[in-house]
Amino acid sequence: MPRVYIKTFGCQMNEYDSGKMRAQLAPAGFVPTEDMDDADLVIVNTCSIREKPEQKLHSFLGRILPQKKVRPVTVAVAGCVAQMDGGNIFKKYPGVDLVFGPDAVAKVREMVDAARTTRVLDTEFFGADGYPFPSDLDPDASGRVGAFVTIQKGCDNRCTFCIVPSTRGDEVSRPFDQILAEVEGLVGEGVREITLIGQNVNSYGLKIPGAPTFADLLRAVHAVPGVEVIRYTTSHPRDMGDDVVACYAELPKLASHLHLPVQSGSDRVLRRMKRFYTRARYLEVVAKLRAARPDMVLTTDIIVGFPGETNADFAETMSLVEAVRFEGSFSFKFSPRPGTPALRLMDEAVPDGVAQERLEKLQAWQREVQLAAHATLVGQTVRVLVEGPSAHDEGVVCGRTSTFKMVNFPGDPALTGQWIDVRITRGFANTLRGERADAEPAA
Ligand code: 5AD
Ligand code: SF4
């Protein structure tokens, strides 16, 4: 049996695509392996969102390509860097056999077949009507507590910093029935928590007059027997409509956590990023969400050092994060990406030292907010859905609250998939520690 090793960088989309590749390679006899040195086919699914993830491809290929001198192994570069760099990857790394972009995932089997005799390059985009969302289930999803389900591909926004529109093409919504069929299939495999994914989920269906909207989709997924938790990512604050906010009052399985990337707290910077909302509009959405769901926890993405960002702009970002009290954020220094409109602003580039200082200040504040929020949970009992054994500690399992807090507590791996009441004993910046509230405390 040939073995396939897939290394995934980047976002949930990439993780999901890697699962679809595993699913499609399975009928050709490919068995997934965790050991790259033992694989007949190695696929690296790449990310180009910032320069750093892109560098990871370089170091990964530096490890796998030398092996071609001593054993036969097919090496494929997939994902967003493949889409951007196309055939140049063959020039830069002569050992690579196959290069394909995110739109070609549905063709992985034929491409791997063809790569036996010739180099294969596929960076075609499908037209909006013809995009084939692969329907086979990721074999690795079976037995897991949570799984991703894609609801759309691509993105029609043109945020000036972002490379995604050129790597993933225009937005296409996946047919409603296909999404529900995949949710039902996953529930049949034991999955209980569904995360709907897309570049901009709130605009689901809006391009087709009369088609179901994202709120309709949330209600339909909520009605699927066996679904216990619904999450989704990523949302655009501009498109967060009242119909979706209303779902938080209506749908108890919808998790009390939303990742709502704000990017900046300064209206001037938001305008230059072409985000099409203001700080006031963002705060209004947050207030509505909290009114509909009082225990709502918010997390976000922030870019510091966008070209032209002044100290005053950054102060606006700090005051916004202070006002919202996000309980988690991914923050990044602006990274100029090829072909993006922000490149035209580079004569106002923020010096790296300044951006670094802002990033550290923001992250230090973020950490304090998380520690403070988690300290208030100590002594409280929370319900968690157990995901499985802790990766670090023997005899410890981890689970998540509806608010997406990771809780570690002593327990048997057999608890996986169950709801357990846990008394919080300690709060760290990113996780919580606890003990079962339904068990005798340890002597
Ligand atoms: N530089 C820095 N961060 C970026 N992101 C997207 N593009 C860039 C860039 N050019 C961040 C945004 C986005 C997250 C996925 O990555 O914050 O929400
Ligand atoms: Fe995902 Fe964007 Fe990275 Fe592509 S570039 S893998 S869409 S985060």
Side-chain angles (χ1 to χ4, degrees), residues 9-11 13-14 46-49 80 163-164 167-168 199:
F9 296 114
C11 64
M13 284 290 162
N14 263 19
T46 58
C47 175
S48 59
I49 193 90
C80 292
I163 199 169
V164 171
T167 63
R168 289 190 174 259
Q199 238 45 261

Side-chain angles (χ1 to χ4, degrees), residues 418-437:
Q418 293 184 37
W419 289 97
I420 301 291
D421 287 331
V422 180
R423 193 179 313 105
I424 301 302
T425 53
R426 222 179 138 182
F428 302 95
N430 293 308
T431 61
L432 298 161
R433 178 88 191 184
E435 58 195 14
R436 284 184 72 163

